[in-house]
Amino acid sequence: MEKKVYSTSGKELRTITLDDKVFGLPVNDDVIYYAITNELANRRVGTACTKTRAEVHGSNNKPYKQKGTGNARRGDKKSPITVGGGTIFGPKPRDFSYSIPKKEKRLAMKSILSAHAQGDRLTVVEDFTVESGKTKDLVTILKNFAKDERTVLILKDDDAKIKQAGRNIPNLSFLAYNRLEAHTLFYGRKVIILESAVKNLSDFYAEDKEAK
C-alpha cells in the first residue's frame, strides 16, 4: 500500500510503502473487541466495597419480640432488611484484570492500523519534534492535518518535548510505536504517524518476531 508523506506544513514530499502485513490486513472485529475489553478491564481499580451485617456498627439486641406485634420477624438493626443495615451480596474489592494471548493482541493492533489505513484516516508525516516544548508550535503543525477531532499521534520514540507541547491540547493522544493501546487507537478519528514510526511498526510486528 502506498501512502503520501507530508511535511509539517502540509505539503506532499514523497510516497512511502506501507507493509501489507501490518497495514493491509483484513479487519478482524472480534480480536479488536477482545483487546479493547481487556484494556478497559485492566484499568478498573476494583475498590468498590460494601459492608455485610457482620461489619455494620450497631447493637445485637432484638428490637422487639418475635410474636404479637404484627411486624416482620427480624433480628437486630444490622439486618439487611432495615435502613442502615448490611448489604446482601454487595461488591467487595477485587481484581478485574486478566490477560489475553499475545498473538491476539498483536493482531488487534494490526487490524486497527489496517482499518485506519484503508479508511484514509491515517496520515504519514515527516519526522519532527518540538524543541521549544510550546503548545502553540505543535498546534501549528497539527492544524494542517486534523481539526477539532480526536487525534492520535504515533511517535518513533518517547519524545518528551512533543508530549510536553501536547499535554494541554484537548482530544490529542500520544502512542509510541511499541506501546500501542487498542482503545485509544481505535477511537482516534485521525491517526498521524511519523515516517520513522512506519518502519518501526513494520519491524516490531514482523512475522518472525511473533514466532519467537
Side-chain angles (χ1 to χ4, degrees):
M1 179 185 299
E2 297 288 334
K3 278 285 184 181
K4 296 177 181 178
V5 179
Y6 294 89
S7 67
T8 54
S9 59
K11 296 181 180 179
E12 297 181 13
L13 297 177
R14 51 190 169 271
T15 59
I16 188 173
T17 302
L18 302 184
D19 190 346
D20 288 337
K21 294 181 180 179
V22 178
F23 298 94
L25 295 177
V27 179
N28 191 322
D29 293 328
D30 290 338
V31 294
I32 293 175
Y33 169 79
Y34 296 142
I36 292 176
T37 303
N38 171 247
E39 287 183 358
L40 294 179
N42 293 347
R43 292 180 188 179
R44 298 183 65 176
V45 293
T47 54
C49 182
T50 55
K51 292 183 179 181
T52 65
R53 66 182 303 164
E55 298 169 317
V56 173
H57 180 72
S59 172
N60 293 327
N61 294 331
K62 190 173 176 65
Y64 47 78
K65 63 181 183 178
Q66 179 81 349
K67 295 179 178 295
T69 65
N71 294 318
R73 295 170 294 180
R74 67 177 182 86
D76 54 47
K77 65 180 182 180
K78 297 184 292 184
S79 171
I81 66 174
T82 63
V83 176
T87 301
I88 304 174
F89 303 128
K92 287 291 186 181
R94 55 171 292 192
D95 182 10
F96 288 93
S97 64
Y98 64 94
S99 60
I100 60 175
K102 183 178 179 180
K103 284 188 176 181
E104 186 175 283
K105 188 170 184 179
R106 292 169 68 88
L107 179 58
M109 300 305 175
K110 292 188 286 187
S111 291
I112 298 173
L113 290 171
S114 297
H116 285 308
Q118 297 163 18
D120 293 328
R121 295 188 299 273
L122 186 144
T123 303
V124 181
V125 181
E126 65 175 347
D127 294 346
F128 70 89
T129 188
V130 182
E131 292 294 344
S132 64
K134 293 183 178 181
T135 301
K136 65 178 182 179
D137 294 337
L138 182 57
V139 169
T140 302
I141 298 173
L142 294 179
K143 70 180 182 181
N144 297 315
F145 308 103
K147 306 303 179 184
D148 296 329
E149 54 191 339
R150 187 177 294 180
T151 304
V152 178
L153 180 57
I154 300 180
L155 307 174
K156 61 179 180 178
D157 51 28
D158 192 16
D159 193 324
K161 285 294 186 179
I162 292 183
K163 291 184 176 180
Q164 177 185 342
R167 62 189 177 190
N168 291 328
I169 301 177
N171 299 323
L172 176 64
S173 301
F174 297 100
L175 294 176
Y177 76 92
N178 57 345
R179 291 193 295 273
L180 298 182
E181 296 178 1
H183 183 271
T184 302
L185 190 59
F186 180 78
Y187 287 104
R189 306 315 303 162
K190 192 70 175 179
V191 177
I192 301 173
I193 179 171
L194 299 186
E195 189 175 5
S196 294
V198 173
K199 183 180 184 304
N200 292 342
L201 280 170
S202 299
D203 295 339
F204 186 76
Y205 287 106
E207 292 295 332
D208 58 341
K209 189 176 182 66
E210 288 186 3
K212 292 181 181 180

